[in-house]
Amino acid sequence: MTALSLARRLADHVQRFIGDGPFLQAGGWTHMGAVICDASFHARCKYEATLRPRLLRLQTDWPDAATVRGFQRRLGTEDLAVTMNFNHSQKVATAHAITDLLAAKGVDTRDELHAWLDHETNRAALRTVKGVGPKSVDYIGNLVGRSQVAVDVHLRAFAADAGVPHLRYEELRAVYEGAAALLGHNQGGLEHAVWRYKSGPV
């Protein structure tokens, strides 16, 4: 099947099971510590029940970590695993590595990261961090207000339910982007609607 026919199949499935929208994009965060921790800790956890409350508390407890440099200073003196109450050494290491990379590149605020992600060389730089793949890069974009499709297990399952065959990450992302265009929806909004539909009750 062509990419367009797959996009039409997916769009039909969206209309049948989720409806016509409008689908609002998730707001993300303005606090860069929360952006980095969300990107680093979200995989394979119950987001609403487990991670979101910790991110809200992080913003209250570390208001000075609203910028990358402020967050980096906090990481230099405090234990992120204790602050997040999340004992996962690799996820903590990923948060440190993302922070150090962004600081080294001169990226300090949400708006700066939003613009920085316009460039493929910068997106590729993020992917050099252990634990950051193409999905994580797209997800980070959404956390700072970009409208992108971050293909996770929920979006893959929804596409499979629609009869879309298994595709590489970039190919399936393009099918979702095509479906959004056919339906006249914001890409990030469609992604979030599918994610909420498949993730079920929190």
Side-chain angles (χ1 to χ4, degrees):
M1 298 180 70
T2 66
L4 180 58
S5 61
L6 291 175
R8 285 188 175 128
R9 177 175 289 188
L10 184 62
D12 289 345
H13 197 66
V14 168
Q15 287 186 306
R16 181 179 178 187
F17 289 96
I18 306 180
D20 295 321
F23 303 131
L24 301 178
Q25 183 174 349
W29 308 102
T30 57
H31 186 285
M32 289 303 295
V35 169
I36 293 167
C37 287
D38 195 331
S40 302
F41 287 91
H42 78 277
R44 294 178 294 281
C45 79
K46 293 186 180 298
Y47 187 87
E48 292 292 340
T50 302
L51 184 55
R52 183 174 173 80
R54 288 167 166 81
L55 296 171
L56 293 171
R57 188 171 63 247
L58 176 72
Q59 294 177 87
T60 300
D61 292 347
W62 288 9
D64 54 319
T67 64
V68 173
R69 286 195 294 268
F71 187 54
Q72 188 179 46
R73 285 192 293 272
R74 280 281 191 169
L75 295 181
T77 59
E78 303 194 44
D79 187 337
L80 183 60
V82 172
T83 299
M84 288 291 290
N85 190 23
F86 212 123
N87 189 22
H88 193 297
S89 59
Q90 181 52 58
K91 292 183 177 185
V92 170
T94 297
H96 277 264
I98 292 173
T99 302
D100 291 343
L101 173 68
L102 294 178
K105 298 293 186 180
V107 178
D108 200 38
T109 66
R110 171 188 168 111
D111 289 345
E112 288 171 357
L113 181 52
H114 186 288
W116 188 77
L117 288 169
D118 281 339
H119 304 285
E120 185 55 40
T121 54
N122 296 335
R123 295 167 65 86
L126 265 179
R127 290 184 59 181
T128 65
V129 173
K130 184 176 181 180
V132 176
K135 181 257 179 179
S136 295
V137 174
D138 288 329
Y139 184 68
I140 290 169
N142 283 337
L143 291 175
V144 296
R146 299 174 68 88
S147 179
Q148 300 175 171
V149 175
V151 179
D152 68 353
V153 292
H154 297 304
L155 271 73
R156 283 199 173 277
F158 186 83
D161 293 344
V164 176
H166 182 79
L167 300 171
R168 292 186 301 108
Y169 179 89
E170 293 79 5
E171 293 171 334
L172 186 52
R173 180 179 62 195
V175 170
Y176 269 98
E177 291 168 349
L182 288 170
L183 294 169
H185 293 316
N186 171 282
Q187 292 178 11
L190 176 62
E191 179 235 71
H192 190 58
V194 172
W195 180 85
R196 290 187 65 87
Y197 174 80
K198 288 301 289 184
S199 61
V202 296

